[in-house]
Amino acid sequence: MTGPGEGRDPQWAGRFDVPQRSPAPDPEPARRNGHRPAAQVPPAEPAVPDRPGDHWDRKVANGLAFLRRRLSGDYEVDEFGFDSELTDAVFHPLLRLLYRDWFRTEVTGVEHVPVDGPALVVGNHSGTVALDALILSAALHDKHPAHRYLRLLGADLVFRMPVVSEIARKTGGTVACNPDAERLLGGGDLVGVFPEGFKGIGKLYADRYKLQRFGRGGFVSAALRTGTPIVPVAIVGGEEIYPMLADIKPLARLLKLPYFPVTPTFPWLGPLGMVPLPSKWLIEFCPPIPTAHLTDSADDPLVVFNLADQVRETIQQTLHTLLERRPDPFGP
């Protein structure tokens, strides 16, 4: 028996005395299992604060992406033609400038509008041009905690006008008829209706804030059939944007319009007469009126009339209260 190093050829001496390194582990199994070796994970980069131009860069990028979707048809509309993306990106920003900056609108009672589920929002109508409906829908969407859309019911005339009809459909409007109203309420939507119709927006300035007749109460029947709560809403400010001093009825019949208004600025100033006066607006949502216990009385004229009268009286009394809070129509 020989010891270490004994009996070796001198020319091989020392060659096996160097310690051997074990081979490095193969990283491929880790890669094949979907993991990355810890040594190859790049260090986290420090957060870089936005530069002054980054905000506008994002706005331009979002705008271009929006145009690309519109041109390619990559957007959705519902069965009524409502386009929520176009409403949020185009129509609501324009209306926001009006109700927030031009009319200085104050909104109260939004907590009375349900967070989810259907409700029928019933308001007073005024203003010669139906801006109150559009302002109400934009303000409700912005102020409501769930940012709900208000699906407006409009008169037949609105949907016979080429451009106006398209805008009404895109923003969620539909014809003011019970079948459409019941379908929307059955789907859990907020539906807005103005029972005064053209009698409300076409009344003279001398009759401002005096509610007109509510028709036959068709909105009440729709609420009763679906068991939907009714939320009255009072709007102060719309009467002063285009104070209607006279109605030229022969000209209205010739043009097939419900009325032809004469205001302090229209038609004297031409297109400039269409600029609304900057009145101060107040909008208040009243406590909801339940109807679930009256679903069997949807066809009872007495029940429908009494409920419609209750809604009308609630709105009228709230208008009086709001007018006391706003003694100056054009104040701050």
Side-chain angles (χ1 to χ4, degrees):
M1 178 176 287
T2 59
E6 295 180 2
R8 295 182 182 175
D9 190 326
Q11 65 178 340
W12 300 99
R15 295 190 179 184
F16 296 97
D17 297 335
V18 179
Q20 303 296 311
R21 295 181 179 178
S22 46
D26 181 11
E28 289 303 318
R31 292 193 182 96
R32 286 194 294 269
N33 292 330
H35 302 285
R36 191 175 182 181
Q40 298 183 13
V41 176
E45 296 182 1
V48 179
D50 288 345
R51 292 171 296 182
D54 289 347
H55 174 71
W56 292 106
D57 290 343
R58 286 195 298 271
K59 279 186 170 293
V60 172
N62 292 337
L64 292 175
F66 172 77
L67 290 176
R68 189 183 307 114
R69 288 194 301 273
R70 306 308 299 186
L71 294 174
S72 64
D74 186 18
Y75 58 90
E76 295 182 356
V77 297
D78 70 3
E79 58 180 318
F80 295 94
F82 175 46
D83 189 334
S84 59
E85 182 186 50
L86 189 64
T87 299
D88 289 338
V90 178
F91 297 115
H92 276 176
L94 294 175
L95 292 171
R96 194 171 294 124
L97 292 176
L98 271 179
Y99 88 75
R100 185 182 60 191
D101 302 325
W102 190 249
F103 296 137
R104 309 171 307 286
T105 306
E106 295 180 12
V107 181
T108 55
V110 179
E111 66 276 7
H112 297 309
V113 181
V115 175
D116 53 22
L120 186 65
V121 179
V122 183
N124 58 298
H125 222 7
S126 63
T128 306
V129 176
L131 275 181
D132 52 2
L134 302 177
I135 295 297
L136 177 66
S137 64
L140 174 59
H141 178 268
D142 287 355
K143 301 297 183 181
H144 195 276
H147 300 293
R148 302 194 65 182
Y149 296 103
L150 184 64
R151 310 298 296 272
L152 297 171
L153 302 181
D156 294 345
L157 177 63
V158 173
F159 297 94
R160 291 201 302 265
M161 303 170 70
V163 177
V164 176
S165 174
E166 288 296 319
I167 294 176
R169 289 288 185 188
K170 291 292 185 182
T171 54
T174 188
V175 180
C177 63
N178 275 22
D180 281 5
E182 291 173 19
R183 283 166 62 194
L184 287 169
L185 293 172
D189 287 301
L190 286 180
V191 177
V193 63
F194 297 85
E196 294 174 280
F198 288 120
K199 298 189 300 294
I201 58 176
K203 64 178 176 290
L204 297 178
Y205 186 66
D207 297 324
R208 60 192 179 279
Y209 300 116
K210 297 177 182 177
L211 289 185
Q212 305 300 299
R213 191 171 61 88
F214 266 19
R216 292 171 294 182
F219 71 96
V220 172
S221 298
L224 291 176
R225 287 192 176 90
T226 56
T228 300
I230 299 174
V231 180
V233 58
I235 306 171
V236 162
E239 299 279 17
E240 292 86 15
I241 60 174
Y242 302 110
M244 188 167 165
L245 306 178
D247 176 14
I248 306 179
K249 296 185 183 298
L251 192 54
R253 287 193 294 269
L254 179 65
L255 298 175
K256 297 182 179 179
L257 297 174
Y259 53 87
F260 189 91
V262 176
T263 75
T265 58
F266 182 84
W268 326 114
L269 299 182
L272 286 177
M274 296 301 296
V275 177
L277 298 179
S279 59
K280 169 72 175 179
W281 283 46
L282 302 177
I283 299 176
E284 181 167 336
F285 294 92
C286 305
I289 300 173
T291 65
H293 63 292
L294 296 172
T295 53
D296 295 335
S297 304
D299 297 320
D300 187 336
L302 184 59
V303 173
V304 171
F305 175 81
N306 288 338
L307 191 53
D309 192 59
Q310 179 184 352
V311 174
R312 185 179 181 278
E313 187 62 25
T314 300
I315 297 174
Q316 185 68 77
Q317 293 301 321
T318 307
L319 286 175
H320 292 325
T321 303
L322 294 179
L323 288 170
E324 291 177 359
R325 283 174 45 195
R326 192 212 63 165
D328 182 2
F330 299 98

